[in-house]
Structure formats: structure tokens, C-alpha cells
């Protein structure tokens, strides 16, 4: 039984003293089921040696090129080039010669962290190799060429995809608009359209994310509003620093088609700016839309009728924006006789203290089960401060928990 027990070993192969132990581990590669390694560790091995792998996190170290990849994947006809047990694959900076052979229908969870810009066709071709994918993370992807040949089947169906995260992708709409994921339950789009390179005159320690002119997400909202592309069972949606003001009307229209959405997180200043636009035929005030029994517009009824958790983080958010929403969707809503069934709002997270009076905050507490304030106006009480020194630089990291009751609200504010 001991031989069948799982064994986990971590080794720093950069130290010469560990070379012998590393070689011994490589000799046992045929028994590996979970590996977090770089491509340089695969030099003495062949792909057939990793037949048992179920989880692989592979990093490109820049030393092994296409020929090394050819040698590793060359089975000389002994066995088909497959990894039948591989379920989770995370690729960090891999060139195509190292990436593509690992992609197969057996993979159900894939993380893609490329090292350079890629053609849109390459990205979609990689995804087409993993049709059974259930969880997908794209991080730092930069499409550089949007040409797609007519013989490439589009849109790309991912029928089993339930979780999708798009993180720091410069043009997310170009990828999202070409996907169909009807089974999707969780969608996260954050910190997108942020350039990876900073102006040369800014010192590295002062680097901050900056946003170029936004590429609208509205084509994505339009594409995913079509019946064949609509993720009608979506439960959780988070949009952070990825919206333009002109996207909000299209976002509202798309939300109107998501009756099962229970968790909504919106962290973008464009929401507040759009709410200040003059009235027009298109609703651009998301707060008003969520507070109205006719907020779904042409679809009819409530916007997101199943919503129970709501998180807002946007500049200039006022209590006057949130309170009508809580009155409409909270426990003591005046719209209980609405003909559209819906859930009560149980959790609200937003910067509330600066603009709310004690009376308004008391009312909010009565309407919503749990209210969390994330504002800079609170008088913080820090319970823990940790200082770390590393990498020849002094960096201050403040980690703390705040349980300060102000005007009846529990306040929590993490510093960045």
C-alpha cells in the first residue's frame, strides 16, 4: 500500500547539489501524475515517459527551441502522440512547438499565459484542440492579427465550458465574439485592454497599469445575445476595468437575457459616467435599470430577476444610486406583487459611507442581509501590519483586517 500512496517532492534544480536527486526523479517520470516543471527538465525524456500525467504546469525557460520540442515529441511510431490522462494543463510562455502537441480532447482545464503577441487564428486554433474544456483562463493574451480565413469554422463551439476568465487581455472582444459557450456558469473579464509595456521614461518601480483607448465590448454583448450564443444559465459575472461608457447600454440589454444570474460584480468607472448621460431611447443608467420592475426593457420584467449578490466599485458612487435599488430588491420591497418571480438581494458590497447619512444606512441595513462598505472615507482601525523586505528593494505590504462599525455598517478596505 505504501508504494501506491501519493508522494510530493519539491526540488530546486538550479543548485548543483541537487543534480543527482533530479536525475533520479527524471528516471521515475513514467510514474508522475502531477508536475510543475520547466521545458529544460524534459531534455532527457520523451513524451511517452509522461503517459500517466494528469496535471501539468509547464514553463518555457528560453533555452529549448523547436528542435528540442521535436525530439521530445518524436515517438518514432512506437505509440500515438497523446496524453490520454492529462486533465489540467497550464502553459507559461510556451512557443507553439511546445504547446500544441499537449492540447487534446482529454483536457478539461486550461490556463494559457503566452510570452508574446499571437495571431487571433492561433489562439482560436489552440482552443479548437480542447473541445471538452470546462475551465479556461486566458492571461496576458495579445491578439496581433485579426484575419480569419473563410475555411475556419466560426463561431467556435465550447459546449462544456462552465468557467471562463479573461485577465489582462488587450482585445478581449476579438476572442469572446468568436466563442459559443452555452453551458457557461461563471464569467470574469478584468484588467483587460491594459498595455503590457510601460513608457520607457517611467522607472520600473513606478509602473502602473494604464488604459489605452478602449476597444468596445459591445460587439461581444451583441454576439452573446443571440439565441445560439447566449449563456442562459450564467450564474456569476464579474467585469473589472474593461468597459467603455458606450458599452453600458449593450451590457444592460445583455443582462436582460440572463434570468439565472445570481452574482454580479462591476468594478469600472464607466458605469457611473454612463449613469450621468442625458436620458435617451437606450437605458444607460444601470442603477435605475436594476431598480425597476421593467428594467429588462424589451425582454420584459426585472433585470437579472435571480440576483442575490451585488458588488459595485466605481468612482463617484452615491448612496442615492444604491438606496433605490435596495428598496426595490431588498427584503421589504414595495414590488412584491410583480408578475416576474425573483430573489431578494442578500449581499451588497460598495463604497457607501461617504455619501450616506445615518438614517439612510440604517434603512439599507434593514433592506439587505449583509452590507459591506469598501470606501476610503472610513476611519480605519488596523489590526495587523506586516513589513517585507526583498529583491534589494523595500516594499511595504500592509495586510490587515478591519471590523469597524461606522453608522451601523461593517467597513472593509484593502489598500493596494
Amino acid at each position: 500500500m505504501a508504494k501506491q500512496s501519493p508522494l510530493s517532492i519539491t526540488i530546486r534544480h538550479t543548485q548543483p547539489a541537487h543534480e543527482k536527486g533530479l536525475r533520479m526523479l527524471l528516471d521515475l517520470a513514467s510514474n508522475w501524475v502531477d508536475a510543475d516543471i520547466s521545458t529544460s527538465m524534459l531534455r532527457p525524456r520523451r513524451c511517452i515517459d509522461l503517459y500517466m500525467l494528469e496535471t501539468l504546469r509547464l514553463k518555457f525557460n528560453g533555452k529549448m527551441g523547436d528542435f528540442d520540442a521535436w525530439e521530445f515529441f518524436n515517438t518514432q511510431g512506437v505509440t500515438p502522440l497523446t496524453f490520454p490522462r492529462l486533465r489540467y494543463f497550464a502553459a507559461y510562455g510556451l512557443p507553439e512547438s511546445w504547446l500544441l502537441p499537449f492540447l487534446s480532447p482529454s483536457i478539461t482545464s486550461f490556463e494559457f499565459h503566452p510570452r508574446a503577441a499571437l495571431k487571433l487564428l492561433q489562439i482560436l486554433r489552440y482552443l479548437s484542440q480542447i473541445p471538452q474544456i470546462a475551465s479556461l483562463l486566458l492571461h496576458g493574451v495579445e491578439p496581433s492579427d485579426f484575419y480569419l480565413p473563410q475555411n475556419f469554422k466560426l463561431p467556435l463551439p465550447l459546449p462544456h465550458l462552465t468557467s471562463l476568465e479573461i485577465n489582462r487581455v488587450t482585445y478581449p472582444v476579438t476572442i469572446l465574439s468568436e466563442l459559443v459557450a452555452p453551458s457557461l456558469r461563471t464569467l470574469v473579464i478584468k484588467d483587460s485592454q491594459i498595455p503590457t509595456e510601460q513608457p520607457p521614461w517611467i522607472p520600473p518601480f513606478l509602473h502602473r497599469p494604464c488604459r489605452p483607448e478602449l476597444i468596445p465590448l459591445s460587439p461581444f454583448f451583441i454576439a452573446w445575445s443571440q439565441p445560439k450564443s447566449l449563456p442562459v444559465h450564467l450564474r456569476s459575472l464579474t467585469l473589472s476595468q474593461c468597459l467603455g461608457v458606450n458599452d453600458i447600454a449593450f451590457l444592460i440589454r445583455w443582462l436582460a437575457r440572463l434570468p439565472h444570474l445570481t452574482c454580479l460584480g462591476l468594478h469600472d468607472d464607466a458605469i457611473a459616467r454612463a449613469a450621468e448621460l442625458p436620458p435617451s431611447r437606450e437605458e444607460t443608467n444601470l442603477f435605475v435599470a436594476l431598480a425597476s420592475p421593467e428594467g429588462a426593457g424589451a425582454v420584459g420584467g426585472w433585470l437579472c430577476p435571480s440576483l442575490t449578490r451585488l458588488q459595485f466599485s466605481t468612482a463617484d458612487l452615491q448612496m442615492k444610486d444604491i438606496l433605490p435599488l435596495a428598496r426595490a430588491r431588498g427584503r421589504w420591497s414595495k414590488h412584491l406583487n410583480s408578475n416576474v418571480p425573483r430573489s431578494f438581494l442578500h449581499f451588497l458590497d460598495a463604497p457607501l459611507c461617504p455619501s450616506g447619512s445615518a438614517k439612510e444606512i440604517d434603512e439599507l441595513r434593514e433592506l439587505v442581509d449583509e452590507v459591506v462598505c469598501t470606501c476610503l472615507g472610513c476611519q480605519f482601525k488596523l489590526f495587523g501590519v506586516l513589513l517585507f523586505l526583498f529583491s534589494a528593494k523595500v516594499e511595504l505590504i500592509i495586510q490587515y483586517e478591519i471590523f469597524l462599525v461606522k453608522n451601523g455598517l461593517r467597513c472593509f478596505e484593502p489598500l493596494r
Side-chain angles (χ1 to χ4, degrees):
M1 291 299 292
K3 293 182 179 181
Q4 298 178 2
S5 300
L7 176 64
S8 177
I9 298 177
T10 302
I11 186 169
R12 295 184 62 181
H13 66 276
T14 55
Q15 298 186 11
H18 295 161
E19 288 296 328
K20 182 178 179 180
L22 181 59
R23 287 195 299 270
M24 295 175 62
L25 285 176
L26 290 173
D27 290 338
L28 298 174
S30 59
N31 295 328
W32 294 357
V33 294
D34 186 325
D36 186 349
I37 55 178
S38 66
T39 50
S40 61
M41 288 189 63
L42 298 177
R43 185 183 296 276
R45 306 260 61 88
R46 293 292 183 268
C47 63
I48 55 176
D49 296 328
L50 304 181
Y51 184 85
M52 299 293 290
L53 266 185
E54 298 175 4
T55 298
L56 174 62
R57 289 166 291 276
L58 185 61
K59 304 172 183 65
F60 185 69
N61 65 353
K63 297 179 181 179
M64 299 184 67
D66 294 344
F67 179 75
D68 298 293
W70 179 85
E71 281 195 325
F72 173 75
F73 291 109
N74 181 19
T75 61
Q76 300 179 345
V78 175
T79 182
L81 179 58
T82 59
F83 299 88
R85 298 173 181 265
L86 191 60
R87 299 292 182 265
Y88 172 88
F89 180 36
Y92 296 87
L94 298 182
E96 184 167 299
S97 58
W98 279 100
L99 171 67
L100 198 56
F102 278 108
L103 301 178
S104 72
S106 68
I107 294 176
T108 58
S109 183
F110 179 47
E111 292 188 20
F112 187 35
H113 306 257
R115 62 172 181 165
L118 297 169
K119 294 181 179 180
L120 178 61
L121 179 61
Q122 286 179 283
I123 299 169
L124 296 177
R125 186 156 62 95
Y126 297 156
L127 298 181
S128 70
Q129 303 300 309
I130 47 176
Q132 303 296 320
I133 194 73
S135 177
L136 174 63
L137 167 62
L138 301 179
H139 183 277
V141 178
E142 299 182 36
S144 62
D145 184 343
F146 307 133
Y147 170 74
L148 295 173
Q150 293 183 351
N151 61 353
F152 192 83
K153 184 180 178 182
L154 291 172
L156 180 65
L158 297 175
H160 305 284
L161 188 65
T162 59
S163 176
L164 173 60
E165 180 174 339
I166 305 291
N167 192 344
R168 298 185 69 86
V169 175
T170 51
Y171 303 102
V173 66
T174 61
I175 301 173
L176 289 166
S177 297
E178 304 298 345
L179 304 180
V180 175
S183 301
L184 199 65
R185 297 294 191 275
T186 302
L187 174 62
V188 178
I189 308 174
K190 62 181 181 181
D191 298 332
S192 292
Q193 310 186 94
I194 296 177
T196 57
E197 295 185 3
Q198 300 284 339
W201 49 269
I202 298 182
F205 63 88
L206 290 179
H207 279 183
R208 292 291 184 270
C210 55
R211 300 177 70 185
E213 184 176 352
L214 286 172
I215 304 299
L217 274 183
S218 49
F220 155 65
F221 294 135
I222 294 173
W224 278 34
S225 293
Q226 305 306 312
K228 291 184 179 180
S229 303
L230 181 67
V232 68
H233 299 292
L234 193 69
R235 296 289 195 275
S236 177
L237 173 65
T238 301
L239 301 176
S240 176
Q241 302 303 319
C242 61
L243 296 168
V245 172
N246 294 331
D247 290 328
I248 304 304
F250 295 93
L251 170 62
I252 293 173
R253 275 199 245 165
W254 185 53
L255 291 175
R257 291 164 171 79
L258 302 176
H260 302 293
L261 192 72
T262 59
C263 302
L264 178 61
L266 300 171
H267 313 281
D268 206 300
D269 294 346
I271 296 168
R273 296 199 303 270
E276 297 173 355
L277 294 176
S280 64
R281 293 178 58 186
E282 291 287 344
E283 180 61 76
T284 59
N285 191 323
L286 184 58
F287 307 112
V288 171
L290 286 171
S292 171
E294 290 82 36
V299 175
W302 288 88
L303 192 69
C304 306
S306 302
L307 192 65
T308 61
R309 298 178 64 88
L310 181 60
Q311 291 180 296
F312 271 121
S313 178
T314 179
D316 301 322
L317 183 68
Q318 302 291 315
M319 181 65 79
K320 64 180 178 64
D321 299 317
I322 295 295
L323 199 53
L325 191 159
R327 288 169 179 162
R329 309 187 76 116
R331 287 193 299 257
W332 307 108
S333 169
K334 297 180 181 179
H335 303 286
L336 291 177
N337 294 323
S338 172
N339 58 1
V340 178
R342 60 185 178 82
S343 300
F344 292 120
L345 189 64
H346 295 294
F347 177 85
L348 177 62
D349 182 345
L352 301 168
C353 285
S355 64
S357 67
K359 182 178 180 181
E360 289 174 326
I361 292 177
D362 285 340
E363 181 182 0
L364 195 60
R365 293 179 62 220
E366 291 295 325
L367 293 169
V368 182
D369 291 335
E370 184 175 3
V371 179
V372 176
C373 180
T374 55
C375 69
L376 292 174
C378 301
Q379 299 299 315
F380 301 116
K381 183 177 181 182
L382 306 185
F383 284 97
V385 178
L386 302 179
L387 301 180
F388 294 94
L389 305 178
F390 60 93
S391 302
K393 293 189 300 183
V394 178
E395 294 195 12
L396 176 62
I397 301 176
I398 301 179
Q399 298 181 348
Y400 58 86
E401 292 182 342
I402 300 169
F403 298 99
L404 171 66
V405 176
K406 177 183 178 183
N407 293 332
L409 278 181
R410 178 166 65 87
C411 302
F412 172 75
E413 174 57 32
L415 292 180
R416 300 297 183 192

